[in-house]
Amino acid sequence: MQELVSIQLPDLRLVLPELTVLITGFMLFSLELLFKRLSHAIAISVSLVGYLIALLFITFMPAKGETFFGLYHRDGFSSLLQFFMLLLTMVLLGFHLIYYRKKRSLYGEFYYLLSFALLGGMFLVSSYNLIVLYVALEAVSISFYILTALLRSDFSSKEGAFKYLMLGGLSIALASYGAGFMYLYSGSLDLRYILTHVGENQYFLVLGLVLFLIGFAIKIGAVPFHFWLPDAYQGAPTPITAYMASVGKLAFFAPLVRLMPYVQEHFAYAWVATVSIISAITMLYGNLVALVQKDVKRLLAYSSIAHSGYIMAGIAVAQLIGLKAVIYFLIAYALMGFGSFMVLALLERSEGWENRLEQFSGLRFSAPWLAVSFMLMLLALLGVPPTVGFVGKALVFMSLSSGSLWWLAFVMIVATGISTGYYLRITALMFMRNPSTNLQLALTGWEKALIALLTVSLVLLGAVPIILWGFISPSAENLFVR
Amino acid sequence: MKTIPLEAYLIVSIVLFGLGVFGMIVRRNLVTVLMSMELALNAVNVLFVGADSHLSLVDGQIFALFIIALAAAEAAVGLGIIIAIFRLRKVDSTDEITDMRG
């Protein structure tokens, strides 16, 4: 009888970063409730302190293992991704967001929704359990729906939010329906057990896996299911777009990366065929449609779709080298996408700026250093050495060649060639034309420093990729060992 | 005691899910689209409960409870967004919220 009542307390040391973010979120929530007019300075400092503590826990307490009876799994991969998520959230808060308060669109809920989205993302990258994945997915998605709709009196923000909600809801329904079939097949909710389990009615497993993957394909914006992404990215307040393109991408790709080593055992052929075809369509479509865009924010949204395609090309190669390339490219895209959308967010402060393509002409004269950073970010997105974009593409290319997927490597080169058209067009407009609009940018020293930091990190991590590689390589190997 | 066979659960669940997805694609009214989404999530609940009665386990019912709670949260947010849309412009059809194109 003694054993029945004794409760085994889970090891809470492993979830200390998540607990810190959760407490930060609840503190922001209750502060917002207590003080009707919460000072933004207080909200920003509370969040920054909380995230900093969580970051220190991840950096200096690299404990690994499982807790909550196998529901939560912390390894090198989850710590690495969580580190970058926290870092990017802190950088986002470092930008002077007061401008959005002037437009009556930044409220107290912005801060706690940001921390709940972050919390969901942190759980999404560190679990194999379907219930935890489902709850984390809903946490990220619901926070993103509200954050997208936060721009008051702006109809396209609401439109983007509703489209995101519709497709997001469909994706969650599909993913959980798939989870249901996988549960029916194996009687377990642990992905590792499901995929190594050999039982009767194998078609339940295949059906479940297909539905689950379609659900995640909608979330990452793979092409037959991408309709929401450009609208949601264009409608959302630009800092939120930057957040969705960086932290959102990291979070939504993580379960696919975790799934890959298990799927390749039994379904290697089907996996390679489907994922590589979707990836080829995604990168070609994203780049081709981006070519004809007049709105730079929408153009970058399509470039984000194309980058989902490149990352999926790495996932298609069901090998260790593919996994390493994917993790590198994910982190690289998080930095590049965040930086480029943040530059747009800064430019939007100028009166009358609408992100139209022709407004970029002559940016070199009106905001020289911003133009140079934006150029470097665009070149990184294009994949020019020595930037992170180049290393990421080179790694994906190497893994494609080791998996003998030559046709996909060829498609990737063609897609990159197409993308030259629009990235270089913006660069040429910025540097070779005369200015057309008057810019009044009021940037604080912090913001200049943060943009410079992002730009330098793009070049530095590309020129000396070994800095990241030292963390990526062991964590990828760890995912393959069981 | 006679138990309900797994096939019955599966058929109900697939019909419900199909109706939900069909409604999301075909219907034009914003609230109806949201209701169709909830219908699809309820189909998932039926599947989990059916799997539980087939396997005589309880994990699936726990999952179904989570789905009920979070689907309600999602519906609340969705209704909030629909009200925000209706306040800005008096529209209630998906055909009329197409400002962004290209």
Side-chain angles (χ1 to χ4, degrees), chain B:
Chain B
M1 199 181 79
K2 225 179 160 190
T3 51
I4 306 170
L6 178 64
E7 287 75 19
Y9 284 110
L10 278 181
I11 290 165
V12 171
S13 151
I14 288 169
V15 168
L16 267 181
F17 195 82
L19 281 175
V21 174
F22 182 76
M24 283 185 72
I25 295 165
V26 173
R27 286 310 192 96
R28 289 279 165 260
N29 187 290
L30 297 181
V31 181
T32 318
V33 168
L34 204 65
M35 281 158 63
S36 308
M37 201 166 85
E38 298 304 309
L39 203 61
L41 280 168
N42 281 336
V44 183
N45 288 342
V46 174
L47 176 69
F48 268 110
V49 173
D52 265 356
S53 100
H54 176 65
L55 302 161
S56 45
L57 292 170
V58 289
D59 299 24
Q61 292 170 37
I62 296 167
F63 203 129
L65 283 176
F66 273 104
I67 291 177
I68 291 168
L70 287 172
E74 208 174 292
V77 170
L79 283 174
I81 292 172
I82 291 173
I83 289 171
I85 287 176
F86 196 75
R87 273 194 186 153
L88 284 179
R89 272 181 220 173
K90 301 271 175 263
V91 295
D92 62 348
S93 157
T94 47
D95 292 330
E96 291 166 276
I97 51 165
T98 49
D99 278 16
M100 289 181 281
R101 285 191 178 280

Side-chain angles (χ1 to χ4, degrees), chain A residues 416-465:
Chain A
T416 311
I418 296 169
S419 73
T420 320
Y422 57 91
Y423 292 132
L424 288 189
R425 190 153 133 225
I426 302 176
T427 314
L429 273 177
M430 284 193 302
F431 281 85
M432 293 172 189
R433 289 282 183 82
N434 288 322
S436 60
T437 42
N438 272 344
L439 273 183
Q440 297 105 26
L441 289 176
L443 305 181
T444 59
W446 262 109
E447 288 165 342
K448 290 180 185 171
L450 286 173
I451 285 283
L453 183 79
L454 278 168
T455 317
V456 168
S457 74
L458 289 182
V459 178
L460 188 71
L461 292 179
V464 198

Side-chain angles (χ1 to χ4, degrees), chain A residues 262-306:
Chain A
Y262 288 92
V263 173
Q264 53 112 12
E265 266 182 14
H266 299 297
F267 312 101
Y269 182 73
W271 174 267
V272 170
T274 21
V275 180
S276 59
I277 287 170
I278 292 178
S279 139
I281 302 171
T282 307
M283 49 184 140
L284 282 177
Y285 182 87
N287 281 322
L288 277 173
V289 179
L291 212 53
V292 296
Q293 295 304 315
K294 293 276 177 285
D295 186 300
V296 177
K297 201 170 165 188
R298 203 174 176 83
L299 185 150
L300 286 177
Y302 275 108
S303 130
S304 164
I305 294 181

Side-chain angles (χ1 to χ4, degrees), chain A residues 4 38 249 265 282 369 403 428 445 454:
Chain A
L4 274 178
L38 176 63
K249 277 264 151 87
E265 266 182 14
T282 307
W369 61 273
L454 278 168

Side-chain angles (χ1 to χ4, degrees), chain A residues 129-394:
Chain A
N129 190 282
L130 288 171
I131 292 186
V132 178
L133 288 182
Y134 172 74
V135 175
L137 198 60
E138 284 275 30
V140 184
S141 309
I142 292 179
S143 310
F144 277 177
Y145 305 151
I146 308 175
L147 286 172
T148 310
L150 219 52
L151 215 54
R152 201 171 249 207
S153 73
D154 181 75
F155 192 72
S156 55
S157 161
K158 306 289 180 294
E159 180 189 339
F162 188 75
K163 284 177 179 165
Y164 194 2
L165 177 93
M166 248 167 65
L167 267 290
L170 181 65
S171 98
I172 285 171
L174 283 168
S176 49
Y177 207 43
F181 278 112
M182 287 195 270
Y183 174 67
L184 184 57
Y185 165 73
S186 66
S188 164
L189 286 168
D190 195 278
L191 274 174
R192 287 165 297 183
Y193 179 80
I194 293 169
L195 291 168
T196 47
H197 176 78
V198 182
E200 53 201 298
N201 295 336
Q202 191 106 32
Y203 46 84
F204 279 148
L205 175 61
V206 175
L207 182 62
L209 210 53
V210 167
L211 289 171
F212 190 76
L213 291 178
I214 291 177
F216 272 93
I218 295 176
K219 281 282 171 210
I220 61 179
V223 153
F225 323 104
H226 68 283
F227 305 103
W228 63 274
L229 195 141
D231 291 339
Y233 277 28
Q234 194 190 348
T238 315
I240 300 302
T241 313
Y243 194 69
M244 291 198 289
S246 55
V247 175
K249 277 264 151 87
L250 285 178
F252 294 143
F253 261 105
L256 294 182
V257 174
R258 279 196 186 276
L259 210 59
M260 183 181 121
Y262 288 92
V263 173
Q264 53 112 12
E265 266 182 14
H266 299 297
F267 312 101
Y269 182 73
W271 174 267
V272 170
T274 21
V275 180
S276 59
I277 287 170
I278 292 178
S279 139
I281 302 171
T282 307
M283 49 184 140
L284 282 177
Y285 182 87
N287 281 322
L288 277 173
V289 179
L291 212 53
V292 296
Q293 295 304 315
K294 293 276 177 285
D295 186 300
V296 177
K297 201 170 165 188
R298 203 174 176 83
L299 185 150
L300 286 177
Y302 275 108
S303 130
S304 164
I305 294 181
H307 276 84
S308 285
Y310 299 141
I311 299 170
M312 272 167 57
I315 294 183
V317 186
Q319 285 174 14
L320 182 57
I321 172 79
L323 201 58
K324 289 180 185 174
V326 165
I327 299 174
Y328 187 91
F329 208 145
L330 258 181
I331 293 169
Y333 180 70
L335 293 172
M336 299 187 288
F338 185 83
S340 51
F341 278 115
M342 253 2 258
V343 170
L344 292 190
L346 292 183
L347 286 171
E348 269 179 5
R349 283 185 200 172
S350 175
E351 206 64 39
W353 184 271
E354 284 168 336
N355 287 329
R356 283 199 316 276
L357 201 56
E358 62 268 20
Q359 284 179 318
F360 277 81
S361 57
L363 197 66
R364 169 170 76 104
F365 299 103
S366 32
W369 61 273
L370 203 60
V372 170
S373 331
F374 196 45
M375 179 195 73
L376 281 171
M377 283 160 189
L378 290 176
L379 291 181
L381 284 166
L382 175 59
V384 173
T387 54
V388 275
F390 169 73
V391 182
K393 275 190 182 131

